[in-house]
Every structure is written in structure tokens, then in C-alpha cells.
């Protein structure tokens, strides 16, 4: 590796891009560029940690989230559409993840008894068995995040306006239980 | 859609997950879960905006970043390894994006004259032609982000410890030019 490259490696590439943006006269866009790039990088780092924690259990975070959501319900099942709403994931992605979970015997799918146009996903005993250690694994990642609880609240307050602009429904009052 | 579903839709699913986490006794992990989930959601929203702005120009953000980086250099070319370092992207992803840019005539690849083990990527005149409107398009997204400049600085200060823990080199002093 050349001397120049090792020098470059030790500068923050996002801070450097922000300087370039400003130097090129795009100072109105430079903070937004830095925000988007930093959020993207941090999301990659966090996603890698979560996926790594679940890989030994044969799960991805997408599949874990579905199992966890079903595990929270009284009888362990939900309509596919509701899973999509609650996890803010495209219905096609939910279908794909659910099919994979079904193949592995962690959930079953069946039509709703009353309205057979609705497909229900239900967690199996085997699904519940893996959910315990999987929750412990991801919670290990969540507990070790480099943010104090007050920092998390500050972070969410800062970036929730972006979710609001995208049409996410943000509530401030405690919601009623299921 | 059932009455229950429309009720659920209007609660913030991330806030609801945080309440569930706390209710199940995982309060040590609840803030981290909320942080990871919020960052993931916001990253998706921002990435969709950026990709949408570039799609009419036949570019993705990954390909734009490479063109933009080459456009910043004096002679419009860089070693592949340096592109990977500067964009914090896996070398295989850089290779794949560069091949696509090459097929479209926006960059060329050739071995370094001095050390032919090094492959250089160089922006073409056609690449420079698309870079102007592409930069304007993404800057439109960056300028309209729902964060004031001070908020961006607060956000970066909050989450940069996560980059630091992942081994990103964060500088605080202004870097030397290229």
C-alpha cells in the first residue's frame, strides 16, 4: 500500500466528503449528505452485529422480527397483512420470510376461519423454542449499543421527523394493549 | 380491513415494540432495540428518496458515489482499492458497480503505469456529463432533509461512537487536500 493510501485511510471519509461538498459550493446540501451517509454507515454496522448474533441460530433479523411479533400475541398468530403493517415491511418481503420460516417448521400458515381471504401465520412450538435464545442474542446486541438511554431518546427525537414526513404514524401517548 | 387493524395502523410500531420489550422485562435492551429499529427505518426512507432522485439518470447511489469521488480528483482517476476505502464499501461491491459504469461508458478501467497490479478507474467525458445533473438531483434530496445543520451535528455526535467502535477512523481536525 502506498504512503498516500495509508495517509488517506486515517481520515474520516464522511467528514472528508462534507469538506469536499462545501468546497464545491454545495454547503446547503453538505449537512444532509453527511447525515444520510452517517445513518447509512451506522445502519450497516448495527445490522451486521444483529445478523451475526442470529446466524448461529439459523435466523436473520427479518425472520426473527416475525417470530418475535407472533410470540408477543396471546395465541401466537396474526394475519400476514398485519405483520407487514407492524414491521413496516413490504408484504412481498413478509411472504418470502414467512415461507422460509414455514419450511423450517418455525411457523405454519392457514386461512382465517371466518374470512378465508385472510392468511394467518402462527408460531409453532419449535418456533417458540428458538425464539427464547434468539431474543437473548439480539438483546445482547441491543444492550451493548454505544448509546445511553437518554442518547437514544435524543436520537429518536432528532430523526423521527423523517419518519413523520414519510407517513409513519408516530404516537406520543401510550397505546392500548393488544 | 378490520376495525382492529385500522386501529393498530395508527400506532407507532417502534414505540409499541419498545413498550413490549419493557413489559417483557427486557428494559436494558429496549432503548437499543428502539435505536436500531429507528435507524433502520430512517435509512430505508432516505435511501428510497436518493435512489428515486437518481433513477431517471440511470444511476444508483452506489454508482453515483463512485463517479462523484472520481470527479473530485485532479485527473479523474483512482485505484480501485482506494475507492473501496474512501466509500467504506466492500471491494467486491466496488468491482461490481465499476463494471456496470464501464458497460455504460461512464468510466474506464486500466492498470497503473508504474505498478500494473493496481487497477485504476477513470471517469470518462460521458461520466462527467451525467455527474452534474446527478449531483444536483441528490443535493435536492440532501437539502430537503428534515434536519437543521445543528441537528445534523448533534446526530453525528450521538452516533459516531458506533462508527468508532467499528474501527472507522474519525478525525476532528481538517484533513489535508488530495
Amino acid at each position: 500500500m502506498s504512503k498516500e493510501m495509508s495517509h488517506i485511510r486515517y481520515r474520516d471519509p464522511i467528514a472528508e466528503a462534507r469538506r469536499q461538498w462545501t468546497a464545491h459550493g454545495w454547503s446547503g446540501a453538505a449537512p444532509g449528505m453527511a447525515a444520510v451517509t452517517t445513518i447509512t454507515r451506522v445502519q450497516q454496522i448495527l445490522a451486521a452485529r444483529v445478523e451475526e448474533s442470529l446466524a448461529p441460530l439459523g435466523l436473520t433479523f427479518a425472520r426473527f422480527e416475525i417470530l418475535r411479533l407472533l410470540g408477543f400475541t396471546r395465541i401466537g398468530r396474526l394475519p400476514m397483512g398485519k405483520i407487514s403493517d407492524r414491521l413496516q415491511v413490504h408484504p412481498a418481503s413478509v411472504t418470502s420470510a414467512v415461507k422460509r420460516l414455514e419450511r423450517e417448521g418455525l411457523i405454519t400458515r392457514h386461512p382465517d376461519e371466518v374470512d378465508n381471504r385472510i392468511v394467518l401465520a402462527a408460531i409453532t412450538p419449535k418456533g417458540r423454542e428458538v425464539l427464547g435464545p434468539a431474543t437473548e442474542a439480539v438483546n445482547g446486541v441491543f444492550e451493548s449499543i454505544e448509546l445511553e438511554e437518554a442518547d437514544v431518546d435524543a436520537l429518536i427525537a432528532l430523526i423521527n421527523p423523517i419518519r413523520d414526513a414519510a407517513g409513519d404514524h408516530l404516537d406520543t401517548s401510550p397505546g392500548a394493549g393488544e
Side-chain angles (χ1 to χ4, degrees), chain A:
Chain A
M1 185 172 290
S2 73
K3 214 171 157 187
E4 191 197 9
M5 282 188 69
S6 73
H7 168 68
I8 294 298
R9 279 208 313 138
Y10 289 91
R11 282 155 57 197
D12 176 1
I14 296 177
E16 173 61 17
R18 189 169 176 177
R19 283 189 291 268
Q20 288 276 14
W21 242 254
T22 302
H24 284 76
W26 312 318
S27 36
M33 185 281 301
V36 171
T37 313
T38 302
I39 289 169
T40 301
R41 175 70 183 145
V42 167
Q43 193 275 329
Q44 284 168 348
I45 294 166
L46 296 173
R49 288 186 196 169
V50 171
E51 298 298 345
E52 198 187 354
S53 77
L54 288 169
L57 296 158
L59 284 177
T60 60
F61 191 49
R63 299 204 292 275
F64 165 77
E65 282 188 295
I66 294 172
L67 281 185
R68 186 61 276 167
L69 186 60
L70 294 173
F72 281 147
T73 63
R74 270 193 312 265
I75 52 169
R77 66 184 206 189
L78 283 173
M80 297 286 284
K82 190 158 162 184
I83 296 174
S84 172
D85 281 355
R86 290 287 293 274
L87 300 180
Q88 301 190 278
V89 170
H90 194 276
S93 308
V94 171
T95 300
S96 148
V98 159
K99 280 183 177 169
R100 172 76 186 261
L101 288 163
E102 195 177 28
R103 276 203 303 279
E104 288 166 1
L106 305 180
I107 73 157
T108 55
R109 279 186 302 169
H110 48 91
D112 184 89
E113 290 88 351
V114 177
D115 181 351
N116 65 13
R117 293 165 304 179
I118 295 173
V119 176
L120 300 167
I123 189 167
T124 64
K126 190 180 166 192
R128 292 200 188 266
E129 225 167 84
V130 77
L131 186 51
T135 304
E136 270 181 50
V138 296
N139 279 347
V141 174
F142 295 150
E143 283 161 14
S144 62
I145 198 169
E146 292 80 4
L147 289 165
E148 300 296 324
E149 183 161 1
D151 295 337
V152 170
D153 293 330
L155 169 67
I156 290 174
L158 277 170
I159 61 179
N160 261 1
I162 297 170
R163 294 185 57 211
D164 191 37
D168 284 13
H169 295 285
L170 307 175
D171 58 13
T172 44
S173 62
E178 285 287 278

